Amino acid sequence: MDNSSSWATPVPVGCALTVGGVVLLAAAALSGSDPAGLVIMGVAGLLLIALGASSLLIRPRLSATRESLTIRTVTGRRTHPREAIARIRVVSYPRFGRRVPNLEIDIVDGTESDGDERLVILGRWELGAAPADVAEALADLGHDVTDSKDLRYRTGDPEDS
């Protein structure tokens, strides 16, 4: 069994976003007679390039070994020992009319009274894999993964929560 695993947005997706952004910028440059179209396509092209570049540069998004989890963000890489991981679970949130699973990681660095608490939520986009599969791989590495939770719309009925 492998002693480490890592997850990130697939490289072809990042490349496609970057190429799409360049195409939009070129289209914006060719639409010189339409100022509104130039601005809209230019901004959309820049955003696509930024999203593609971030998905290509922030790799891997999540790395795991038997002893720790490493989460990479725009500001850098943070490694958390197993003792700092309070909970790992897959939570399904309602989004745009369907259930979207996310990997939720609760991190407590230091003591609970003065420690730094962080909640990291990673979806399929950041992981490049189904969050349930990532949770299973983390469990295989020995991390404590709790049961998944399906969050429903709140109705006020205590039985629904």
Side-chain angles (χ1 to χ4, degrees):
M1 174 184 272
D2 194 10
N3 288 330
S4 68
S5 296
S6 61
W7 298 272
T9 305
V11 172
V13 173
C15 292
L17 288 170
T18 305
V19 168
V22 170
V23 167
L24 272 176
L25 284 178
L30 296 175
S31 68
S33 63
D34 181 18
L38 176 107
V39 170
I40 291 171
M41 285 192 292
V43 169
L46 289 174
L47 289 174
L48 276 178
I49 290 172
L51 186 60
S54 71
S55 70
L56 291 171
L57 296 175
I58 303 174
R59 301 185 63 77
R61 191 74 167 93
L62 174 66
S63 307
T65 64
R66 293 192 178 281
E67 295 81 28
S68 65
L69 288 180
T70 301
I71 300 169
R72 187 153 185 203
T73 63
V74 174
T75 59
R77 182 178 303 196
R78 293 186 69 178
T79 300
H80 305 281
R82 182 185 291 194
E83 300 79 37
I85 308 299
R87 179 175 55 191
I88 300 172
R89 66 181 179 164
V90 176
V91 181
S92 292
Y93 293 100
R95 186 173 204 174
F96 299 118
R98 57 183 269 247
R99 299 235 162 279
V100 179
N102 291 291
L103 184 68
E104 188 176 272
I105 304 170
D106 290 320
I107 302 167
V108 179
D109 286 331
T111 62
E112 295 222 12
S113 61
D114 65 346
D116 179 28
E117 295 183 22
R118 296 182 65 208
L119 176 64
V120 178
I121 299 176
L122 301 169
R124 185 177 184 91
W125 172 261
E126 292 95 356
L127 297 170
D133 295 341
V134 175
E136 185 178 323
L138 291 174
D140 290 345
L141 286 171
H143 291 277
D144 185 25
V145 178
T146 60
D147 288 337
S148 299
K149 186 172 184 182
D150 188 18
L151 297 179
R152 303 197 182 280
Y153 291 106
R154 305 245 176 204
T155 61
D157 187 0
E159 293 179 12
D160 289 341
S161 53

